[in-house]
Each structure stands twice: as C-alpha cells, then as structure tokens.
Amino acid sequence: MQDRLVRLEGQAISELEGVEGEAGLQQWKVKYLGRSSELAEILDGLRKLPKDERPAVGKQANQLKARLEGAFAAREQTSRAASLEYSLQEDRLDVTLPGRTLVRGRLHPSTSTLRLIADIWAEMGFQVYRSRDVETDDYNFGLLNIPAHHPARDQWDTFYTKQEGVLLRTHTSPGQIRVMRERAPEPIRVILPGMCYRYEQITARSEIQFNQVEGLAVGRNITFADLKGTLNAFARRLYGEDVKTRLRAGHFPFTEPSAEMDIECFVCGGIGCAVCKGTGWLEILGSGMVHPTVLENGGYDPSVFSGFAFGMGPERITMNLHRIDDIRYFWSNDMRFLEQF
Amino acid sequence: MKVPISWLKEFVEIDWPVEGLADRLTLAGLEVEEIQFVGLPIPEVHSTAAGAGQHGRSVRVSGLAWDPEKIVIGAVLEVMPHPDADRLVLCRLDDGREEHVVLTGAPNLFDYKGKGPLGTPLKVAYAREGALLYDGHEAGWKRMTLKRAKIRGVESYSMACSEKELGISEDQEGVIILDGDAPVGTALSEYMGDAVLDVVITPNNARNANILGVAREVAALTGRPIKEPSYEVPWTGGPIDRRLQIRIGEPELNPRFVAGLIEGVKLGPSPYWLQYRLRLVGMRPINNIVDATNYVMLEIGEPLHAFDFDSLVGRAGGKAPTILTRLPEPGERLTTLDGVDRSLDEFSVLVADTAGALSIAGVMGGAETEVSERSRSILLEGAAWNYINIRRTLAAQKFSSEAAYRFSRGVHPAMAERGVRRGLAMMHRLAGGTIARGLIDEYPMPPGEMSLEVKPADVKRWLGIELSVSEIADILRRLEFVVEAADDYVRATPPDHRLDIGQGIVGVADLMEELARIYGYDRIPETQISDTIPPLYANPSLEREERIRDLLVDLGLQEVVTYRLTAPEREARILPQQGPVAEPYVWLANPIASDRVVLRRSLLASVLEVAERNARIRDRIGIFEIGPVFLPTGGELPDELPRLVIVMSGPRQSKSWQGADATPMDFYDLKGVVDRLLHGLHVEGVGYVPSSESAFHPGKCAQITAGDRVLGVIGELHPLVVREYDLEAAPVLAADLELSVLSEAFQDRYPVAPVPSFPAVLEDLAVVVDERVPAEEVQRLILETGGHLVEAVNLFDLYRGEQIGVGKKSLAYSLVYQAGDRTLTDDEVADIRRKIITRLNQALGAELRA
C-alpha cells in the first residue's frame, strides 16, 4: 500500500507539472483529488484494512492528500499568474486613439471674466449691485456732474432713445447714484457690473455694446491712498504678485482727483509691442475720488463722507489675458472662438 | 495737441530727456500718446532684461533721425534747365564743402530756371548719397536710402528734400526753401531737428491746449520758472479810439471783446521757421496774417479772428464801423468763408456790423470780410465766448476747427487781450504796417473774484498724505496760484488763465487733484480702507442666475451673449406666418446701423441668429443665453425683463470613430435638459401643458408650469421659422423662459430624505391607454395612488403597434416600492399594484398589457 501511495504521488506530481491551463488543472484535480480519485478510493478503503495497518496508512494517505492539495494550489497560482500575464500582454489598446467625444458646456468668456473680477472684489468685501441698461439722461450724466453741452460729454458717444431724456447707459456709473440713494447714509462697497452702449462704429477695437464693472466705496475717511492700495491689491490679485502698476492723473467728471491705472505690458515686459501699442503699458482701469457733487447727489454730505470709484472692461481684460486682437469676436458668438475657452 | 519741444523750450527750461519729460507729463494727466522725432536722434529702447523692474518704453515713439553728416543745409546758387527733360531742373548747389549738381523736379524752383546765378542763394535741405529718408513718391511713410542713379542721362547722387522726405509733413510738392539766414553746411538736425509730443488734452485740461499751457505744466512739475511771452505791442499809428466801436448785446454769451487795428500790412507767405512750426503742430500755412493768428492761438491758446478792415469801412459807408455781437434775427443767413450759405440757429452769437452778420462768433468767419491777398488793414478780434453756447452752435452746424475746439472747451477772458496784443506784434513782425495805438476793450462780465481755503487736514482726509501749509503753498505757487499761507491753512486764488477751479467744496476737490498731480501720484502711499465694513445684502437674483448658468453648462450647453440692439424685421423672423407685428419697441433716436435700431423684445430671435451663423460650421448646436428683453411700459423707462433661451439642434452625438448616436435631437432631448435644470433648481410641481405659440410647431410645443407659475415655453420650432433661419437639416428645439419666475420657483432649502435602510422592491408595469392620454397623467396617477410607498416611476418603453390596436399606446414603467420603516411584503406590493391598475383603469381607461 505504501508503494501504491508513493507511485500515486510520483504520477500525480509529474502529471501536474505538465498540466496546461485552467481546464487541465481542473481535470487533474478531479483525477487526483476528486471524489472518485484513486486517493479517495484509498481513503474510503481504509475501513477494510487490518486494524493495525489503518493508522499508518491513513496518516500517509492524508499526508499525501495534503501534499497534493498544496502542490495543486501552488501550481494553480503560478498557472493563473501566467495566464493573467499572458492576457495582459495580449490585451493592448492604441492609447493614441482619441477619447470618446463628450459634449462640454462653457460659459461665454465675458461671463467668466465678470465672475473672475467679481470674485476678487468679493474677497475684498465688495458686493455686486446691478442696475438697468436704459437710463435717464439725469442718471447717466446730470447727476454724475456732466451737465448738458459740457465738453466732458464728448467722452461718451451716446445712443439716445426716441423718448426725450432716455438713453442707453454709456457706463455703469448711473448705478453709483442708484446704490447711494438706496443705501445712504450707510457705508458702501459694491461693484456694478453691466452692459453699456456707445454710439461707435463696430471695429476690431470698438463695439457698440460692452460690459463694464464699476466699483464704489463710500464711507468716512476713505482716501486717495486707500484707492491706490485697493486698486493695486486688485491688480496684483488678477495679474500676479509681481505685476508692475502705475497710477497716472486722468479725467472723469464724476471723480476728483481722477486716476488711470496701467500695468506693465505682460506680453513684451514693457519694451513695447503690438498689444500695448508700443507704450509698454496696458491701461486696465479708470478711477478717482468720488466728486463732492456726486456724493451730494447720492445723498451723502461731502464734508463728512468720501469715497472712491473705479471702472474696468471685462472684454478688454479678456483680450489682454488671451491676446485677442478683435473685440467683435465677443458678440459674434462663433463657436470657433467660444470653444477655445 | 502736438507740442514741439523746441517751441516748449521758449517758455521753460527743460533738463529732462524727451522720454522722461513725456513720462512725467503722462503721470500728471497730460498723457503723451506718442513722441514723433523730426530729425533728432531717436533714443534706444532699454531692454527690461537689463535690470529687473526697469521699464523699457513708456510711450510710443516714431519718426526719422536726420544723419548730421548726410543731411545738411545747402545753398542753391543757380537753377539750370535739364538738357533733356522739361519737368526737371539742375541746381548748382553749395553744401559748405563743395559744389554739386543736383537734379530735381520741384516746381517751386522752376521760377528761377535759366536766370543765371541767383543774387540771393536759396537755402535748402540737402541730402547726400546714402542718407536715410522717407520716399516722397510712395503713399504712407516708407523709408529709403538715397542711391546714386542716372536720370535722363544726368548722374544724380544727392537731392534737395521736400517736407515729406524729411518726415515733417505730407507735403511733397516742392523742396523746402529755408529762411535766408540758414547757415550753409550746418547739419539740418542741429538747425531744426525737433521732437513733437502728441499730448491728450482732457476736458479739465482745456487751458493747456497750447504750447504755453503745456510749458506751465512742465514748470510746475520741474519747479522751473515759466517765461511768459512778451505782450508788448510796437504801437506806431494814431489812436484807435475813433476808428471803430464795439457793442456787446449778450454779455452772458460774450463777456469780453477786444479789438486791435494794424494798417498797411503786406500779405505774403510766412517765413519758413513759422511755417515749419505750424506744420509740426499739424496746421497748414496760409499767409502771414492768417498764420500769425494761428500761431498765437497755438502759442497761448486764444483763437483770434482777422477781418479785412477796409471792407468793414466800406460796409459802413466809409465811416468808422460799429461791431455788434448779438443773436441772429429770425431767418438770418451768412455765407461763411468755406463758401457755405448757412442758416443761423437762434442761440448762435454773431459778430455783426450795422450792415449785417460778419461771422459766427468763435466758430467761423464770413466770406465777405475775409482777409485776402488784397487786404491792407486788419481788424484783429480777440474775444471770450460762453463755451456751452459755442458747443451748441458747433453741434447744430456740424462743424469743427482748431479755434472752435478751444472756444468750445473754455478760454479765460483774460486771454482775449493777451491774444490781440501778441497777434498784433506778430503781424507787425511778419507783414510790417502800423499798429493803431491802443485796443478797444469791451469787458462787461469779468469773472468774479474767488479764492479757496485749503487745510493740511483736508489733504489728509482726501489724499491720505501729510502736507504742511508750506508744502501746499509751494505746489500751488508753482501752478501760479496767488497764495497766502496762514498758520493752519492756505488761501489760494486761481491764476487768470484757469476756468476749471470750482467754488466751495468742489473747488477744494479741484485743488486736491492739483496737489496730488504735482506732488506725484507715484509718491502717494498704498493703504487699505479703515472705515467700518458695510452691511451685507443678500443678492438672490444674481446668485440664482449664476446657478442656472452653471447647471446649463453642466448639461453641456455653450453660453452665448448677443447684441441687445436689433431691428423689428429681425425679430419678425420668428413669426414668418404673421409678418411684422406692430409691437411697441424702445427705438433709438440715433441708430448707427439700419439693422440695429431698437432694443430687442425677443431673446429667442437673438439666439436663433447665433444658431444660424454657427450652423454653417457646426452640425450640432447646443446654446443658451440669459439676458434682458426691453418692453416699453408707457412710463419713462421700459421694463427690462431677463429671460433664458436654450436652442438645440443637430445629431445627439458628434461623429466618432467608435460610432455615435447620430439621431437628430428632438423635443425630448431639450425636455431632458429642461427637466435636469428644473431638478437642479429643485423646482416643485413642474408640468408640461400642450400649447401653441406662433414660433413653434403646433403639435410639439408645451407651456412649462410650476404650480401656478408659468415658467415659459418649450418646443420644436415651426418649420417656417426653421426655414427662415436656414436651419432645415434637423428639428430645432427651443425653450424660452422668464428668468424671474424661474428664479422665484427656485428652492434652496429643499429637504433631503434619509437613505433607506430597507430593501426596495422593483417591478415593471405596462399599461395600454388611448393615444391622447398624456403620459404625464399616467405617471402622476401612479405616484398619487402609490402614495409614500412608491418611491420612483420610470418610463422605460413606449410602444405602438398592431398588437395593442390602432389609436393606442403601451407605456411600460419600472416602479420602485419602498417603505422607510420596514421591508415590504409581497402581499403589500401586490395590493398597491392592484390599486394603481384599478385607478388607471377608472381614470384613464387603461388596461394592463398582457
């Protein structure tokens, strides 16, 4: 009987070594470890053996079973590893084929830039205040210290409606008066985004409609130095910590003193190029201390209150950031433009 | 305003290099847009690589440097005919070293042809071989190097230059003939090289629209004294008193009128130095009298008008003329010196005499009393006009000129006298004659005296900087204010060339700007607002609008932004079966284009135009816009109502190598988007009611409701609309929603149900109903009958066919039965199912599909 076990083991092990694939393994398992295998037969036949032989043979047969199971497990593992390895080697993709086409929605670039600007100002405590597109002459000009026939009006080419004294706002500044009248005498820190209109030929550099973001801070002891600090903080936040800015005197009838802010052209680094029209600077916003007359028209006593205002163009900013040389792209909504964002 | 540096230096010393000066002027509010170098060497650009933070250019630079070796002053000694060409002459020219023969076609030398050696040689700008010049015969500014050539058999290697060739003006008709005292052999750049600043004059800087004004700014910035021009007049004639009278009819509109008289002048061309200056500033020389008035205007800012005095006397019947300033008579007309017969507006002030109108005051002279070649006596007018009134006149007459530009922005009355004095002296210098002694000066409305008090505390409050009384006083003195410094304040009176300083607190604000400008914006520190933080306000309309944008972008749509200006015909395209409707629009009074004359009433029409344009380049369109439409109300201002429009068309998926669902999108693709949007906004009680809107297919259109609210309309566009927009390839789906209603229906405090801890039972249910039964009704009844135990219903199949009979449809739903507190038993589920089937049968006649 011992010989039989030795022979069986030799046969099983050598056969196991030659087995190929999962099916072969299972066949082998049935043959040597299955219910009707020789080993099962031996174990079943233990009862028939003489009593004194039984323990030794039983032990040997069980040990053999354990060894065969172990060998099978090991063989099964290597075989599976090999077949996995094989299938991994075989199963290859052309990773350079294009990905599945999915539709991606996008915001219009003006909206994105408006949000970018609004987010930065929100970080600085300026909330959004919106006001209407169609305005009265008074809100757009008169209350902003731009009387009829004043030379300052030349700065705004205006679309008038057929209704006397009603026009399309040329800037978001009428919102200054509206927010002040609503909030006086509370302190104010708001930005006023919105669409504005100018009577101009549509060219690569000028549009009849464009967004503007105006800002307004009104309170006690707000100074020109605060304006400079606040606007510089904004410029650094938008264009990067290292941006070089300059503030120069400008003119707006509703601010005094007035200031224009430029940043060093980030395309040429200030040497002069087509983007900055050879000046090395890009004009990014106009600003100034709110004119006493405007404060008064808004319901604030200019001897007690002061404030600053500023305005910028999201389309201009987008054009600078992405080196876009034609403002007409914005409202033409050509997918070949929009899909680049 | 063009400002030649050489002219500026007559009034103030300047040590700074031109670019540095331009930079400082720009920072102080006189933005220098460009420096045009005329002959002087052009500074190199500094590369920023040379040093971190060092700025390269701060201004645009253009122009041509004249090589001092190659472009010099030459003397034409004789002009000789060309042996072989009538339109060319040969000049014998001395360049200070030797004699040359120079070939030219300049017509202004032809007069001297064949006259032998000239008694007075003509001084010209002589360019030697290799000189870099502008090409005089090419349009625009093309550079060329002067090369040796043989022209009509004559060797040519050098030339006498025109203004165009040197970059002075566009004039290339003849060669420049310099003044007789020009030193032969001297480099032209040394003799007349210049740099011209192009300065932007903002309305508050109107006083600086002249060379002296810019010089005043330079003086204030540098601290150098201003050298005022002389206002001395070489009186040589008899007294002016009896020669004419002046009567001002409207002192408000004409606060001052000054007149001087010069007789026996000799009209002719101005000397070259003066013509050159006019050219550099962009004006055309005319004759010495007119040039003198223009020169003085450019120099000190007072526009002058010269009348032919003899014709005034003639009109007065040989007696001393009376000059009147008055408003026009009804129907009065005047032929102005441009030859136009103009009807005069009732508000335009006229300069007239007893015989009628002479000129439109401050704007344009009349033809009859214009200075001409024959003029011998000149009446010179210097006046002050109400600038608002001048502006009205300019707007009405659609006219502009250098003089009108200045008068329409305000010129101080003090300048009227200075202008006439300077003008008379200049005419005398250029055209000889005798100046009648004295001026006629009517000055009924001198500006009131005013002064302002500024305290260091004001400066601190406005500008956030500490300036002492003496620092404030110093800056204002540099700007020529009359200053009185006390212990804690400065009293300042504006100089008499300024009209821009207001009174009271406005005046103080004006002074703050002056202090900040001259102190230097660059020296003001950066601080942050120290005031209390304002109260915060909720802004739901904006927040919801942005949330809607985000959801639509998540759903794969591209946002567009269109023009809010359109035309009624453009909007009528969405109603092709109706034709234009007489809807009330907000009309523009001054449209710039015939297709943008009103503010839109329809956002759908705007978005369809985008679809139309893009249909040519993309087969699939999925776009939306959020923006206002404008509806007149009968009140002063129209309603501005924000809307949301979605437009979709084309294949469901774009072509792909893996194959794609190229089925054209239909109603349900759009409805899926709208459903997801409304779901994302947690709008409750959403319903779709079949509807008919003119722009839509009558059978494929629904009104979207949420409870009692009507959100808008959704549907497939009417085939006629699709054809109108040239979008015929596929159905076009559109939704047009009222944003404020959507925004109100928005729920942001929706409850979130607990995640179930007991298993759900899934079952399918198919029912057959009449075709006309809306699916939504079936679903509603299932949910209603199932109560809280039916968690979800999903339609997964819709079938029509013989098996179920004509006019019928089968709707197959998967139902999710779910209880929050237990596992549902089969009996319970069967019970609910039975109730649902009974209810559907009773309410809708639905049969369970076998």
Side-chain angles (χ1 to χ4, degrees):
Chain A
M1 181 57 76
Q2 277 193 10
D3 293 348
R4 196 174 162 197
L5 289 174
V6 170
R7 180 192 47 78
L8 182 59
E9 181 169 14
Q11 185 188 339
I13 296 296
S14 86
E15 217 171 285
L16 183 61
E17 277 162 9
V19 159
E20 286 288 342
E22 189 66 20
L25 273 169
Q26 291 311 319
Q27 274 172 20
W28 183 91
K29 195 179 182 184
V30 170
K31 184 171 174 188
Y32 291 100
L33 290 167
R35 251 177 268 161
S36 49
S37 63
E38 190 175 351
L39 186 57
E41 216 172 88
I42 291 168
L43 285 165
D44 277 349
L46 280 178
R47 276 174 285 119
K48 295 172 195 162
L49 286 179
K51 254 186 187 169
D52 57 337
E53 281 182 34
R54 267 184 227 168
V57 174
K59 191 182 174 192
Q60 285 169 352
N62 276 315
Q63 282 173 344
L64 173 59
K65 186 181 181 192
R67 281 200 301 279
L68 289 182
E69 280 170 347
F72 176 78
R75 184 72 185 88
E76 185 180 43
Q77 205 187 339
T78 50
S79 160
R80 284 191 181 162
S83 77
L84 178 62
E85 185 56 31
Y86 177 79
S87 76
L88 289 177
Q89 289 300 325
E90 284 302 294
D91 194 10
R92 282 181 175 274
L93 292 181
D94 179 356
V95 296
T96 65
L97 279 169
R100 238 172 268 272
T101 352
L102 294 177
V103 177
R104 178 164 78 85
R106 287 175 203 79
L107 292 171
H108 189 279
S110 290
T111 306
S112 302
T113 307
L114 279 166
R115 285 189 179 183
L116 176 65
I117 293 168
D119 287 349
I120 295 173
W121 285 107
E123 288 171 8
M124 297 202 277
F126 287 71
Q127 286 196 288
V128 170
Y129 182 94
R130 299 196 288 180
S131 68
R132 46 183 313 120
D133 287 20
V134 184
E135 271 291 2
T136 63
D137 196 283
D138 227 22
Y139 273 90
N140 196 73
F141 290 126
L143 293 167
L144 293 169
N145 197 34
I146 316 166
H149 297 290
H150 192 272
R153 282 214 178 183
D154 292 355
Q155 285 170 285
W156 296 276
D157 293 310
T158 311
F159 280 120
Y160 293 93
T161 72
K162 286 192 174 170
Q163 174 124 4
E164 179 78 26
V166 176
L167 47 76
L168 310 195
R169 66 174 168 191
T170 56
H171 44 200
T172 44
S173 313
Q176 286 191 26
I177 300 289
R178 293 193 179 273
V179 70
M180 280 195 278
R181 289 188 168 179
E182 196 176 302
R183 306 257 168 102
E186 284 173 5
I188 294 176
R189 272 169 232 177
V190 293
I191 59 164
L192 308 122
M195 197 65 87
C196 303
Y197 306 83
R198 300 264 170 99
Y199 180 86
E200 281 186 29
Q201 294 299 333
I202 300 177
T203 68
R205 302 214 59 88
S206 67
E207 257 293 0
I208 55 171
Q209 118 182 355
F210 56 92
N211 278 291
Q212 195 174 58
V213 178
E214 186 128 342
L216 176 70
V218 177
R220 289 164 202 265
N221 300 312
I222 294 180
T223 67
F224 191 73
D226 293 342
L227 172 153
K228 188 171 171 181
T230 309
L231 294 182
N232 270 314
F234 170 78
R236 285 192 287 265
R237 178 74 180 72
L238 180 62
Y239 294 100
E241 276 305 308
D242 302 330
V243 73
K244 193 179 166 200
T245 62
R246 73 171 183 183
L247 205 59
R248 58 187 164 83
H251 173 68
F252 306 101
F254 34 90
T255 53
E256 178 105 65
S258 301
E260 306 261 9
M261 183 175 251
D262 302 332
I263 57 167
E264 191 172 69
C265 178
F266 44 71
V267 175
C268 63
I271 295 169
C273 67
V275 174
C276 59
K277 288 182 269 174
T279 65
W281 294 98
L282 295 172
E283 200 174 302
I284 58 160
L285 52 84
S287 65
M289 298 301 290
V290 182
H291 195 281
T293 307
V294 176
L295 278 174
E296 208 154 5
N297 290 338
Y300 290 83
D301 177 354
S303 64
V304 178
F305 290 92
S306 57
F308 62 76
F310 53 86
M312 64 192 83
E315 281 83 55
R316 288 275 168 232
I317 290 174
T318 313
M319 290 172 78
N320 286 341
L321 290 176
H322 300 289
R323 303 184 197 179
I324 298 163
D325 60 4
D326 194 333
I327 196 171
R328 290 171 295 195
Y329 288 152
F330 285 87
W331 318 138
S332 72
N333 294 296
D334 190 308
M335 293 302 150
R336 291 167 294 188
F337 174 66
L338 297 177
E339 284 170 0
Q340 292 185 55
F341 290 90
Chain B
M1 168 86 197
K2 299 271 182 69
V3 181
I5 294 284
S6 65
W7 202 346
L8 199 56
K9 283 183 171 171
E10 283 190 11
F11 305 115
V12 64
E13 279 176 40
I14 302 170
D15 305 323
W16 295 335
V18 180
E19 281 187 291
L21 174 69
D23 213 17
R24 290 297 299 270
L25 284 171
T26 295
L27 288 179
L30 281 93
E31 188 189 350
V32 178
E33 279 202 316
E34 182 171 349
I35 305 172
Q36 186 201 348
F37 284 86
V38 183
L40 286 184
I42 300 169
E44 294 288 311
V45 189
H46 316 293
S47 159
T48 41
Q54 192 187 357
H55 199 81
R57 280 247 193 272
S58 53
V59 63
R60 186 166 67 237
V61 159
S62 69
L64 180 74
W66 301 332
D67 185 336
E69 287 300 315
K70 298 202 168 78
I71 304 174
V72 299
I73 296 167
V76 174
L77 306 174
E78 185 178 356
V79 181
M80 303 164 297
H82 188 284
D84 204 22
D86 286 348
R87 308 180 81 176
L88 294 173
V89 290
L90 300 176
C91 302
R92 195 156 59 78
L93 181 141
D94 170 17
D95 72 349
R97 291 187 196 157
E98 56 191 320
E99 270 191 33
H100 305 270
V101 171
V102 178
L103 186 79
T104 175
N108 59 340
L109 291 180
F110 279 38
D111 288 351
Y112 305 94
K113 181 162 78 172
K115 303 236 164 106
L118 300 174
T120 316
L122 299 170
K123 304 293 175 61
V124 297
Y126 174 67
R128 297 182 173 129
E129 184 177 359
L132 184 65
L133 299 168
Y134 287 113
D135 192 327
H137 303 287
E138 289 271 341
W141 299 98
K142 190 168 170 273
R143 285 159 191 252
M144 60 142 195
T145 303
L146 187 55
K147 292 197 183 83
R148 188 175 288 263
K150 213 165 213 169
I151 299 172
R152 294 279 188 120
V154 177
E155 177 115 79
S156 168
Y157 52 86
S158 63
M159 69 192 285
C161 301
S162 69
E163 290 195 337
K164 165 108 188 214
E165 279 144 359
L166 292 170
I168 296 167
S169 77
E170 298 270 355
D171 191 353
Q172 48 99 18
E173 269 298 288
V175 298
I176 299 171
I177 297 180
L178 299 167
D179 293 330
D181 57 2
V184 173
T186 300
L188 191 70
S189 59
E190 190 186 313
Y191 178 67
M192 57 183 248
D194 217 326
V196 182
L197 308 180
D198 195 352
V199 180
V200 179
I201 301 291
T202 52
N204 62 332
N205 258 323
R207 66 180 184 284
N208 293 328
N210 52 80
I211 308 295
L212 178 61
V214 176
R216 289 187 203 282
E217 290 289 316
V218 174
L221 290 170
T222 57
R224 297 275 188 158
I226 187 82
K227 296 181 274 185
E228 282 265 352
S230 162
Y231 299 111
E232 292 297 315
V233 183
W235 315 109
T236 45
I240 194 172
D241 305 3
R242 301 238 171 86
R243 307 294 304 279
L244 78 156
Q245 289 186 55
I246 289 169
R247 289 216 299 270
I248 291 174
E250 305 285 340
E252 286 276 351
L253 303 180
N254 175 203
R256 191 176 192 184
F257 197 110
V258 181
L261 182 61
I262 179 166
E263 292 169 289
V265 292
K266 187 167 177 297
L267 262 83
S270 296
Y272 187 74
W273 68 265
L274 194 151
Q275 293 194 26
Y276 177 56
R277 280 195 167 169
L278 292 180
R279 295 275 202 201
L280 288 183
V281 181
M283 287 191 88
R284 207 160 49 87
I286 311 288
N287 58 47
N288 48 10
I289 296 299
V290 175
D291 291 352
T293 63
N294 286 334
Y295 188 88
V296 172
M297 172 181 72
L298 295 170
E299 183 185 58
I300 66 169
E302 170 71 18
L304 300 171
H305 188 72
F307 292 96
D308 182 299
F309 187 67
D310 294 329
S311 65
L312 290 174
V313 172
R315 285 162 63 99
K319 289 189 283 204
T322 299
I323 303 291
L324 312 157
T325 65
R326 59 166 173 85
L327 293 172
E329 310 286 343
E332 192 169 0
R333 304 184 75 84
L334 174 68
T335 302
T336 45
L337 52 76
D338 54 1
V340 179
D341 177 39
R342 294 172 188 265
S343 81
L344 301 165
D345 302 284
E346 80 274 5
F347 48 79
S348 299
V349 182
L350 302 177
V351 178
D353 61 9
T354 43
L358 301 171
S359 73
I360 305 175
V363 175
M364 198 173 353
E368 198 179 329
T369 52
E370 189 187 352
V371 171
S372 71
E373 297 301 313
R374 295 177 305 279
S375 298
R376 288 294 164 263
S377 303
I378 305 295
L379 176 72
L380 185 61
E381 165 203 321
W385 309 104
N386 178 305
Y387 68 92
I388 299 286
N389 202 56
I390 296 282
R391 292 181 62 76
R392 291 181 72 192
T393 301
L394 290 178
Q397 297 286 347
K398 295 188 171 48
F399 176 79
S400 72
S401 69
E402 290 279 343
Y405 166 83
R406 287 168 177 79
F407 274 137
S408 68
R409 281 161 180 76
V411 180
H412 197 286
M415 301 309 295
E417 182 189 347
R418 289 175 205 163
V420 173
R421 286 173 163 269
R422 193 84 182 130
L424 290 171
M426 184 61 74
M427 287 178 185
H428 183 259
R429 178 175 166 191
L430 302 178
T434 55
I435 303 173
R437 183 169 304 276
L439 301 171
I440 307 284
D441 183 1
E442 287 298 312
Y443 199 177
M445 288 264 300
E449 285 287 311
M450 71 102 147
S451 66
L452 294 159
E453 254 179 41
V454 198
K455 299 188 187 74
D458 296 328
V459 178
K460 179 79 185 150
R461 185 171 90 88
W462 287 81
L463 302 179
I465 53 172
E466 310 270 358
L467 287 186
S468 66
V469 163
S470 68
E471 285 170 310
I472 296 169
D474 174 55
I475 290 176
L476 294 176
R477 267 192 209 105
R478 288 189 190 194
L479 288 162
E480 299 172 66
F481 281 77
V482 178
V483 172
E484 200 184 303
D487 280 350
D488 61 344
Y489 69 87
V490 173
R491 177 171 295 282
T493 305
D496 66 1
H497 55 266
R498 294 190 71 151
L499 288 170
D500 62 314
I501 304 294
Q503 307 215 3
I505 193 156
V506 171
V508 174
D510 291 331
L511 292 189
M512 290 305 142
E513 179 160 277
E514 295 306 289
L515 291 172
R517 272 184 340 107
I518 303 304
Y519 179 79
Y521 281 19
D522 51 334
R523 292 170 62 199
I524 289 173
E526 288 183 32
T527 57
Q528 296 299 325
I529 303 174
S530 58
D531 193 36
T532 51
I533 291 172
L536 293 179
Y537 290 92
N539 204 347
S541 78
L542 175 70
E543 286 159 15
R544 289 171 181 188
E545 186 178 314
E546 297 296 9
R547 175 88 187 111
I548 291 167
R549 280 199 176 89
D550 284 339
L551 280 165
L552 292 169
V553 166
D554 290 348
L555 290 165
L557 298 177
Q558 168 70 56
E559 188 193 16
V560 300
V561 179
T562 58
Y563 286 106
R564 296 174 185 182
L565 288 167
T566 184
E569 312 85 78
R570 292 171 86 144
E571 298 211 321
R573 296 176 73 200
I574 60 169
L575 308 165
Q577 63 272 52
Q578 296 182 15
V581 202
E583 298 274 14
Y585 273 103
V586 177
W587 286 88
L588 293 186
N590 59 332
I592 199 153
S594 59
D595 59 347
R596 304 221 182 266
V597 294
V598 295
L599 282 165
R600 68 178 171 208
R601 289 182 61 92
S602 165
L603 183 59
L604 177 59
S606 298
V607 179
L608 283 176
E609 288 181 2
V610 175
E612 180 179 34
R613 267 196 304 281
N614 281 292
R616 295 178 203 132
I617 49 168
R618 292 286 182 273
D619 56 353
R620 187 182 187 283
I621 303 274
I623 52 179
F624 76 97
E625 176 166 12
I626 290 175
V629 298
F630 300 85
L631 310 178
T633 55
E636 189 177 34
L637 295 174
D639 279 339
E640 301 180 3
L641 302 177
R643 297 196 74 85
L644 160 64
V645 163
I646 305 172
V647 169
M648 292 167 65
S649 182
R652 204 157 284 152
Q653 290 178 342
S654 308
K655 257 187 223 164
S656 161
W657 59 276
Q658 294 137 313
D661 181 359
T663 324
M665 290 189 284
D666 62 20
F667 180 87
Y668 301 104
D669 288 278
L670 175 58
K671 188 175 173 189
V673 167
V674 172
D675 276 341
R676 292 295 90 195
L677 170 67
L678 297 178
H679 183 262
L681 299 174
H682 301 277
V683 175
E684 287 183 351
V686 176
Y688 291 82
V689 186
S691 171
S692 60
E693 299 277 338
S694 356
F696 291 86
H697 187 302
K700 300 179 181 176
C701 174
Q703 204 175 50
I704 312 169
T705 57
D708 299 339
R709 297 188 176 98
V710 176
L711 300 180
V713 60
I714 174 177
E716 188 178 316
L717 288 184
H718 197 286
L720 292 177
V721 177
V722 175
R723 189 182 305 164
E724 176 66 34
Y725 285 91
D726 214 5
L727 295 167
E728 276 178 277
V732 180
L733 300 321
D736 188 348
L737 284 79
E738 188 161 348
L739 199 73
S740 55
V741 181
L742 187 57
S743 181
E744 281 162 22
F746 179 108
Q747 297 285 328
D748 44 14
R749 304 231 173 126
Y750 48 88
V752 173
V755 176
S757 13
F758 299 94
V761 179
L762 309 178
E763 241 188 36
D764 292 347
L765 175 70
V767 291
V768 176
V769 292
D770 275 355
E771 188 65 68
R772 60 183 159 69
V773 172
E776 189 182 45
E777 190 60 13
V778 177
Q779 184 150 342
R780 193 183 63 77
L781 285 175
I782 293 172
L783 281 169
E784 198 180 286
T785 314
H788 64 281
L789 295 180
V790 172
E791 153 86 12
V793 183
N794 262 314
L795 180 71
F796 70 88
D797 187 43
L798 171 65
Y799 175 78
R800 296 180 178 93
E802 281 175 20
Q803 277 183 27
I804 54 168
V806 179
K808 300 273 184 186
K809 61 187 172 191
S810 159
L811 301 165
Y813 294 93
S814 66
L815 274 66
V816 181
Y817 299 92
Q818 171 89 60
D821 54 354
R822 62 188 190 281
T823 305
L824 288 172
T825 65
D826 291 351
D827 287 349
E828 278 177 298
V829 170
D831 187 44
I832 306 163
R833 182 183 164 85
R834 218 169 12 251
K835 283 182 183 156
I836 291 172
I837 294 166
T838 310
R839 181 78 190 280
L840 292 177
N841 179 262
Q842 286 166 354
L844 306 171
E847 295 290 344
L848 194 63
R849 187 174 170 197

